[in-house]
Amino acid sequence: MGGAAAFRKLARGAARIPSRRFRHELVAEILRRDPHAVLEAVGPTLNRSPRLRSMPLDLKPEGRLEFEDLPGLFAGSVLNHGIVGMTVRQVAYLFGLARRREARKAIEIGRWRGGSTVALAAGMGREGKLWSIDVGEKAARVLGEEADSLDEETQEFCESFDLDVELLVGDSRTIDVDTGEVDLVLIDGDHTYEGVRSDFERFGRRVGVGGAVLLDDCFDDPFVPSHPESVGRLVTEVTDSGDFRLERAVDRLAHLERVR
C-alpha cells in the first residue's frame, strides 16, 4: 500500500474514534513530533492558491498603497490569530475604514483582549472617541481571571498613545451610554439572534446616513466557528428593510452602510 493510500486509511480510522479528546491528543502529538508535516498539509488549504491577480483590495486605494490595502498578501486564519480574533484582512479593513472615513465617534460591542479596540481607536486617531462595551464574562470562563486585568492592559495601551477610549463593563442589552449620533459601530458580542438584534437596534442605529455598522462572524468559514444562522440572518433582514445596504463582505465581517 502506497503512502497516500495508507494515510487515507489511517485518517478514516482516526475519524471513527468516538473520543474527541483522543483525536485532539493524537493531532497534538503529531504536531509536536513533526510540525512541518502538519503545516505543509494545512497551509495550501488555508491559502487556497493565492495570486496577485485575484488578491482582494477591499478599500479601494487612493493614490499610493497603504498597509491597510495589502492584507490579502497574508494568510489570515485561526492559526495566526493573536490578541485580536479577526483575520488580518478584517483588522486592516476596520482600521482603514475608520481612518479614511475620518470617524470621530464609534461604539464597540465586545472587546475580549482589546485587539479590535486598539485597532479601531488607532484608526480614528487622537481626534476620535470610542465607547467599548463588554460584559466581561469571557475572561473568567476562558482564562480564569477577572476582566479587569485585560481592561487595565487595554486602557494603559490606549493612554500611552493618547487614544480616547472609554471601557464600559455591562450587558449591552441594558447598559445606558450617552453617545449621540456616531460614525461607526462594531458589533461582535452576543452571537445569538436575540442578542445581536438587540445590539443592532440599541447601538447600530445610532449611525447617521453614510455611517458604518460592522458585524463579525456573519459568514461561513471552514476553520473558525461563525454564526450565519443568527448574525447572518440579521444582516439579511436589515438589508432587506432598505435602511442599510451591504457595502462589503470581508472574510467573516459584514460592513453595512446606512442609506436612509
Side-chain angles (χ1 to χ4, degrees), residues 115-173:
S116 56
T117 309
V118 167
L120 179 52
M124 290 193 293
R126 295 176 179 177
E127 299 80 12
K129 166 74 176 185
L130 172 63
W131 291 267
S132 177
I133 303 168
D134 193 278
V135 72
E137 62 84 24
K138 193 172 181 179
R141 174 166 52 85
V142 177
L143 302 178
E145 60 182 87
E146 296 298 322
D148 291 350
S149 61
L150 296 177
D151 285 350
E152 287 173 6
E153 294 179 25
T154 304
Q155 193 70 59
E156 289 173 3
F157 186 94
C158 291
E159 288 177 355
S160 68
F161 291 95
D162 294 326
L163 300 175
D164 188 357
V165 176
E166 186 173 344
L167 303 181
L168 303 167
V169 178
D171 190 336
S172 60
R173 299 193 193 199

Side-chain angles (χ1 to χ4, degrees), residues 8-252:
R8 286 194 294 270
K9 183 177 180 180
L10 176 62
R12 286 194 296 269
R16 287 194 291 267
I17 298 173
S19 171
R20 187 173 184 272
R21 179 178 178 182
F22 180 89
R23 296 196 303 272
H24 176 85
E25 291 177 352
L26 175 63
V27 173
E29 182 63 14
I30 295 173
L31 182 60
R32 186 183 70 81
R33 290 177 177 269
D34 193 357
H36 291 294
V38 176
L39 296 178
E40 286 172 4
V42 174
T45 304
L46 295 176
N47 285 282
R48 298 176 182 86
S49 302
R51 300 288 294 270
L52 281 174
R53 183 174 297 168
S54 59
M55 187 182 82
L57 291 171
D58 300 304
L59 293 162
K60 296 178 181 178
E62 299 174 353
R64 66 181 183 179
L65 288 172
E66 303 288 355
F67 173 78
E68 63 264 29
D69 295 317
L70 303 175
L73 292 172
F74 307 99
S77 73
V78 70
L79 294 183
N80 64 5
H81 287 174
I83 295 172
V84 65
M86 296 179 179
T87 65
V88 176
R89 282 183 66 196
Q90 290 176 278
V91 175
Y93 192 78
L94 174 65
F95 177 98
L97 188 67
R99 174 69 56 87
R100 295 185 180 191
R101 294 286 184 90
E102 297 183 343
R104 292 295 174 261
K105 297 170 68 177
I107 301 170
E108 174 188 45
I109 310 298
R111 66 176 164 268
W112 186 209
R113 290 186 173 95
S116 56
T117 309
V118 167
L120 179 52
M124 290 193 293
R126 295 176 179 177
E127 299 80 12
K129 166 74 176 185
L130 172 63
W131 291 267
S132 177
I133 303 168
D134 193 278
V135 72
E137 62 84 24
K138 193 172 181 179
R141 174 166 52 85
V142 177
L143 302 178
E145 60 182 87
E146 296 298 322
D148 291 350
S149 61
L150 296 177
D151 285 350
E152 287 173 6
E153 294 179 25
T154 304
Q155 193 70 59
E156 289 173 3
F157 186 94
C158 291
E159 288 177 355
S160 68
F161 291 95
D162 294 326
L163 300 175
D164 188 357
V165 176
E166 186 173 344
L167 303 181
L168 303 167
V169 178
D171 190 336
S172 60
R173 299 193 193 199
T174 57
I175 193 170
D176 290 323
V177 187
D178 184 12
T179 64
E181 184 175 288
V182 300
D183 304 300
L184 188 153
V185 175
L186 171 63
I187 299 176
D188 189 17
D190 185 349
H191 286 74
T192 65
Y193 175 76
E194 293 76 15
V196 73
R197 165 63 76 177
S198 174
D199 288 340
F200 178 82
E201 295 296 339
R202 297 196 74 217
F203 298 102
R205 291 192 181 276
R206 297 192 188 191
V207 301
V209 173
V213 179
L214 306 179
L215 297 102
D216 195 18
D217 298 318
C218 299
F219 310 113
D220 281 321
D221 185 284
F223 298 100
V224 181
S226 296
H227 300 273
E229 80 291 342
S230 54
V231 186
R233 172 187 168 189
L234 175 71
V235 168
T236 299
E237 292 176 352
V238 169
T239 53
D240 286 347
S241 73
D243 292 339
F244 290 78
R245 65 181 175 87
L246 180 62
E247 172 68 16
R248 188 78 184 181
V250 181
D251 289 341
R252 305 185 311 276

